[in-house]
Amino acid sequence: MAHISGVLADFQNGETRLVYGRRLVAGDLFLLPDGEAKELRAWAKEDLRCPVRDCPSPAITTVSRSRGRDGFKHYGGGDAVGGHAPESLFHMQACERIAVWLRGLYPSFTVQKEEIAGDRRADVMITASDGSRMAFEIQYSALTPAQWQERHDSYQSMGIVDVWLFGHHGAQLRQAHARTVVGRAADRRASDNLVVINPTHAAVIGAGLPLLWFNPVTAQIGTAVEQVVLGERQFEIPATCTPGQFSVEDLARLKLCLAGVTSDRLQLLEKNRAEIEALRLELQAAQRLSQAEEEASRAAARRVMMAADAVIAADKQAALDRAQARRAAMDAKALLLEPAWLISDLRARILDEFEGHWPAILDVVTTGEPGLPFPRQQWQATLFAQFIEDRSILSGVSPGECAAHLTVQDLHESETKAIVREWFDVLVAAGYLLCMKVKKKRYSIGAARVRYTTATKRTPKARRASEAQSRAARESATRAASVRSASGNLRESARSSVRRPYVPPTLPVVDANRPGVALCRDCARPLAAMFVARGYHLLCSPVQRY
């Protein structure tokens, strides 16, 4: 069933005039065969009347049309004389067309138009030989979902299968206008065949019934489909939401089934929908399986990670226990040496150096593990006295040298150096040591190295001794300077009494050729302003020459 341009337009723009006439004798409807209007005109005038009962102008005649289908018209001005609304004519002709189709398809069944069943009046009712009934409702006028549901439930309660055929003209078939149609011409033509699926149509689809439209003039059935892509396959299935792609097939292709009507086309659409549902369920099952496998994989990974974390935690705890055991052993050894340290000469000397108060720089609590097997005051005082106290300024001090001096057994040199370096940092902050970064060589690998040297700060006792020595030196220098000054003054006085005879002030000698220019009394050369009062150059003065 191809979807070509104009399918919807051709379906809606079918014959709008009468194609049925009512026989005067039998009272049934007669369908005018297309192309036989001229041959049947005389007979139609005599034996046929307008199919609409109570028509004020029942007389009709045939019309042969070169464009469009042959049909009937009223005498004296066409269909307007009868005043029949198109929907009424379409509904009446549709009922007759369906009744004729059912009688031809199932001659042994009973087909009755406008049959009353309970509180319902079916447009066409077909009753099988076993008593089962099927009602055909042709709906051209507007119908709300609630009204349709009420009628559907009524038929269901009576055990009647209801088949709904919506009209090809009017409120029940509207073209869906796409907001934007871009792309190829084929895409634009396809958009011309889009139809609106209104809420009543959606109720029909929701009840599991096929959504069908009927054109009684062309005897065609229309339906709405949609294209669905699932995986790498494309399916055409009955449309479930607006808009739907409109397609048509001949009424003769339809047949009855337990659920209503069907055809090879409708069965294919339903088969595609069932296959899509199966594929969708299969994809969902595969997705759930994949999710389950992924979750199982994540759970296994979590279990492995938890086991690894447990092993790491156990290793950390074991290492912590070993470190604590080593720390306890070191603290026990240090505690054994504490009494001897308290009465040692070194401790007494350090107390004397710091005026009877033990300095905080020699009682630093280090965090390096596992500690040292000595009282912390002892090993810090030992290193301070050996490498820092009496060293000259900017003398290098190495943590490795200090660690080697301690000679601790059962302790790696790097551990001892780390503890000593931590103590050195406290001495740097207190001003007893200087820390300078050593410039790394080009392309060298590893952390930047630092170098420790002694600083200017000394112990309080050493500072007092240094200050006393400096004060004594200054006093000695002052006394020596006074003696030198006194002896120098005596010699100068003696020289002055012999060398500097009194020279009475004289008027300056003025150059006769250059008035205002004073001349030296000895060399007769011009004098600078500073020597005018003296009258001589510095080297020409009689006192200097003497």
Side-chain angles (χ1 to χ4, degrees):
M1 188 65 60
H3 307 301
I4 59 176
S5 176
V7 170
L8 177 60
D10 292 343
F11 188 80
Q12 288 188 306
N13 293 333
E15 179 59 54
T16 58
R17 296 185 177 90
L18 288 173
V19 294
Y20 279 92
R22 187 178 300 278
R23 301 177 193 266
L24 283 174
V25 178
D28 60 336
L29 296 182
F30 170 76
L31 176 64
L32 177 66
D34 190 19
E36 299 183 10
K38 293 181 180 179
E39 291 81 357
L40 298 177
R41 182 170 297 157
W43 174 79
K45 289 181 179 180
E46 293 292 332
D47 294 343
L48 297 181
R49 293 294 181 267
C50 176
V52 179
R53 299 183 185 277
D54 302 328
C55 177
S57 302
I60 59 175
T61 185
T62 61
V63 179
S64 176
R65 299 186 179 92
S66 59
R67 298 180 62 182
R69 192 187 188 285
D70 289 354
F72 297 105
K73 73 172 183 177
H74 291 78
Y75 283 115
D79 295 340
V81 175
H84 308 312
E87 284 77 8
S88 299
L89 289 176
F90 288 144
H91 185 272
M92 179 270 299
Q93 294 180 113
C95 293
E96 182 64 23
R97 176 75 81 165
I98 292 298
V100 171
W101 168 68
L102 289 174
R103 292 189 186 104
L105 192 62
Y106 302 99
S108 62
F109 292 0
T110 301
V111 178
Q112 181 66 38
K113 294 190 295 182
E114 298 184 355
E115 181 174 331
I116 298 176
D119 59 347
R120 309 270 4 121
R121 181 192 295 267
D123 290 332
V124 179
M125 181 77 77
I126 180 170
T127 305
S129 56
D130 60 358
S132 59
R133 294 180 294 177
M134 183 178 297
F136 285 79
E137 289 285 351
I138 292 88
Q139 190 67 38
Y140 274 88
S141 59
L143 186 68
T144 65
Q147 292 171 338
W148 177 87
Q149 190 66 48
E150 180 184 1
R151 298 180 187 183
H152 174 68
D153 294 341
S154 177
Y155 281 122
Q156 292 292 306
S157 65
M158 293 183 289
I160 300 175
V161 178
D162 52 331
V163 177
W164 290 81
L165 301 175
F166 292 97
H168 73 294
H169 184 275
Q172 294 297 342
L173 185 58
R174 301 291 187 186
Q175 181 180 5
H177 298 281
R179 294 181 179 179
T180 305
V181 180
V182 296
R184 299 173 300 175
D187 298 330
R188 294 193 295 271
R189 287 196 301 270
S191 68
D192 294 338
N193 293 324
L194 296 178
V195 294
V196 174
I197 298 178
N198 62 35
T200 303
H201 300 159
V204 172
I205 296 172
L209 303 181
L211 177 60
L212 303 174
W213 288 272
F214 181 51
N215 186 329
V217 178
T218 60
Q220 288 179 317
I221 294 291
T223 187
V225 299
E226 60 179 315
Q227 305 294 328
V228 177
V229 177
L230 190 61
E232 297 181 354
R233 299 180 60 185
Q234 182 173 354
F235 298 88
E236 188 176 59
I237 64 173
T240 57
C241 59
T242 192
Q245 189 75 29
F246 193 74
S247 65
V248 299
E249 62 179 331
D250 292 337
L251 175 64
R253 295 180 179 273
L254 265 64
K255 56 187 176 181
L256 301 186
C257 64
L258 294 178
V261 294
T262 187
S263 67
D264 294 341
R265 167 73 171 165
L266 296 178
Q267 288 177 355
L268 177 61
L269 295 178
E270 289 297 330
K271 179 183 177 182
N272 290 343
R273 177 158 60 184
E275 188 173 355
I276 281 181
E277 288 299 322
L279 286 177
R280 184 176 289 113
L281 292 176
E282 183 179 350
L283 290 177
Q284 291 176 355
Q287 184 177 9
R288 286 194 296 268
L289 179 60
S290 176
Q291 291 176 350
E293 291 176 351
E294 185 177 355
E295 182 61 29
S297 177
R298 286 197 296 265
R302 284 196 297 269
R303 288 193 297 270
V304 171
M305 291 298 296
M306 290 173 62
D309 291 342
V311 172
I312 293 173
D315 292 343
K316 288 183 177 180
Q317 186 61 40
L320 181 61
D321 293 341
R322 289 193 298 270
Q324 291 177 349
R326 294 182 67 194
R327 167 69 76 171
M330 294 295 177
D331 292 343
K333 292 179 181 180
L335 188 61
L336 293 176
L337 299 176
E338 188 75 22
W341 160 248
L342 294 176
I343 60 174
S344 64
D345 295 338
L346 178 59
R347 186 174 187 279
R349 190 175 68 79
I350 293 297
L351 285 172
D352 181 59
E353 287 289 335
F354 285 89
E355 299 178 342
H357 300 284
W358 191 261
I361 61 169
L362 301 183
D363 195 13
V364 178
V365 179
T366 57
T367 59
E369 294 295 343
L372 297 176
F374 312 106
R376 63 173 178 269
Q377 294 183 359
Q378 180 182 6
W379 69 262
Q380 293 174 16
T382 301
L383 296 181
F384 183 80
Q386 182 69 26
F387 296 98
I388 300 174
E389 183 178 11
D390 294 329
R391 302 284 291 275
S392 59
I393 300 174
L394 299 181
S395 297
V397 184
S398 169
E401 183 181 11
C402 294
H405 180 74
L406 293 176
T407 61
V408 181
Q409 295 181 354
D410 301 330
L411 196 64
H412 196 272
E413 182 183 0
S414 61
E415 295 175 326
T416 308
K417 288 171 63 176
I419 295 173
V420 173
R421 190 177 294 110
E422 185 177 354
W423 176 58
F424 272 16
D425 292 338
V426 176
L427 295 180
V428 170
Y432 286 91
L433 286 180
L434 298 176
C435 180
M436 296 174 290
K437 289 185 178 181
V438 179
K439 186 177 181 181
K440 295 175 61 176
K441 294 182 180 180
R442 193 176 184 183
Y443 307 120
S444 62
I445 301 175
R449 297 174 55 197
V450 295
R451 179 172 179 266
Y452 295 96
T453 61
T454 56
T456 59
K457 191 170 183 179
R458 290 292 182 263
T459 64
K461 184 176 180 180
R463 285 199 301 270
R464 286 198 309 272
S466 178
E467 291 173 359
Q469 185 178 0
S470 298
R471 189 164 50 251
R474 285 196 300 271
E475 292 175 356
S476 177
T478 301
R479 287 194 299 270
S482 299
V483 172
R484 287 195 301 271
S485 177
S487 60
N489 289 338
L490 291 175
R491 288 194 299 272
E492 184 66 26
S493 298
R495 283 198 299 269
S496 297
S497 61
V498 176
R499 293 183 180 180
R500 297 182 181 179
Y502 174 72
V503 180
T506 58
L507 296 175
V509 179
V510 181
D511 189 351
N513 297 324
R514 292 177 293 177
V517 178
L519 301 177
C520 176
R521 292 179 181 278
D522 183 59
C523 64
R525 288 190 176 90
L527 290 171
M530 66 177 64
F531 299 121
V532 172
R534 183 188 294 269
Y536 296 93
H537 291 109
L538 187 60
L539 299 178
C540 297
S541 175
V543 177
Q544 186 67 26
R545 285 201 305 270
Y546 180 79

